[in-house]
């Protein structure tokens, strides 16, 4: 029982005596004061859990453990940096390849123009309902804006969408002179 009480006292003495040097060496190794303090605590936790057989060699033991812990930290940090750089490069490459081509951009602009023309042909209520839903408004918010019962918003949106599709089809038909999309393909292109 008496020996167990001495271990915490001995540990406290070793901690007070060696902590500043351990933290300073870890700071010199990592260049990060907060990390050095955390790592120094890890060194002393290992000392507490499994002290060296010879306490007179505690200085060398602490140096060996702090070096190992410091280098492990540096390896983890550099592999984390490498992983972050690799992921950043992957996302950047994906973003570049995801950028629309000129042809895709022209088609997209044409579709937006057609949708705008079709929306203008809808009633104010249908147009407003569809645009509010597209902006992410809730049914209750749409009902308040349109001054209608919230229970009918779903039906109102479904009917407005049907009218939009019908008018969009008519606009496409007008654009292509009655030819269907499958007919516009040309001779095997």
């Amino acid at each position: 029982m008496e020996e167990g009480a001495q271990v915490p006292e001995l540990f406290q003495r070793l901690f007070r005596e060696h902590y500043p040097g351990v933290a300073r060496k870890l700071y010199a190794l990592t260049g990060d004061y907060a990390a050095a303090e955390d790592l120094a605590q890890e060194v002393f936790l290992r000392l507490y859990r499994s002290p060296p057989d010879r306490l007179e060699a505690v200085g060398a033991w602490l140096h060996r453990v702090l070096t190992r812990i410091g280098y492990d930290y540096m390896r983890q940090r550099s592999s984390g940096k490498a992983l972050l750089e690799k992921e950043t490069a992957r996302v950047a490459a994906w973003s570049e390849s995801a950028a629309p081509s000129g042809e895709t951009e022209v088609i997209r602009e044409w579709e937006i123009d057609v949708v705008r023309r079709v929306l203008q042909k809808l009633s104010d209520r249908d147009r407003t309902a569809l645009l509010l839903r597209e902006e992410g408004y809730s049914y209750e918010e749409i009902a308040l804006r349109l001054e209608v019962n919230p229970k009918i918003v779903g039906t109102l949106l479904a009917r407005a969408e049907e009218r939009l599709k019908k008018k969009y089809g008519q606009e496409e038909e007008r654009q292509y002179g009655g030819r269907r999309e499958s007919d516009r393909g040309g001779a095997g292109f």
Side-chain angles (χ1 to χ4, degrees):
M1 191 75 155
E2 196 174 298
E3 188 178 324
Q6 290 176 346
V7 172
E9 286 178 25
L10 177 61
F11 176 77
Q12 288 177 5
R13 184 178 58 78
L14 291 172
F15 181 84
R16 282 192 302 271
E17 185 179 322
H18 293 281
Y19 181 84
V22 169
R24 190 173 43 253
K25 288 175 185 174
L26 284 165
Y27 175 70
L29 184 63
T30 63
D32 182 348
Y33 186 72
E37 285 187 333
D38 289 344
L39 296 173
Q41 290 177 11
E42 177 65 28
V43 169
F44 282 96
L45 183 61
R46 288 188 188 181
L47 174 65
Y48 186 78
R49 289 184 178 159
S50 53
D53 295 330
R54 296 182 355 205
L55 285 180
E56 59 273 0
V58 76
W61 185 93
L62 286 171
H63 182 74
R64 188 174 64 249
V65 172
L66 82 85
T67 303
R68 198 173 296 142
I69 286 175
Y71 282 127
D72 285 348
Y73 171 79
M74 296 300 287
R75 256 191 308 279
Q76 287 175 345
R77 191 170 80 174
S78 69
S79 69
K81 270 186 183 175
L83 182 61
L84 179 62
E85 288 170 4
K86 185 177 179 181
E87 185 64 17
T88 302
R90 188 186 70 75
V91 168
W94 176 82
S95 295
E96 288 171 7
S97 68
S101 67
E103 181 181 333
T104 305
E105 192 63 29
V106 168
I107 292 170
R108 190 173 145 295
E109 289 297 322
W110 176 81
E111 288 175 341
I112 289 171
D113 187 49
V114 170
V115 170
R116 282 187 183 135
R117 284 197 312 266
V118 170
L119 280 170
Q120 290 304 316
K121 293 178 181 179
L122 293 176
S123 70
D124 284 343
R125 186 169 94 163
D126 286 352
R127 181 175 45 253
T128 303
L130 290 171
L131 291 173
L132 289 173
R133 182 185 64 187
E134 186 64 28
E135 290 293 319
Y137 284 80
S138 69
Y139 280 20
E140 291 80 21
E141 292 169 321
I142 294 171
L144 279 172
R145 179 75 184 269
L146 297 177
E147 299 176 353
V148 297
N149 186 336
K151 293 178 183 178
I152 70 161
V153 171
T155 305
L156 189 144
L157 285 168
R159 289 180 182 164
E161 191 173 310
E162 283 303 314
R163 287 189 277 274
L164 176 73
K165 286 178 184 177
K166 182 179 176 185
K167 290 192 183 294
Y168 188 87
Q170 291 170 349
E171 184 68 23
E172 271 194 329
E173 202 169 299
R174 189 182 68 74
Q175 282 278 321
Y176 292 108
R179 293 184 294 166
R180 299 183 81 57
E181 181 144 352
S182 59
D183 299 336
R184 290 192 300 264
F189 292 148

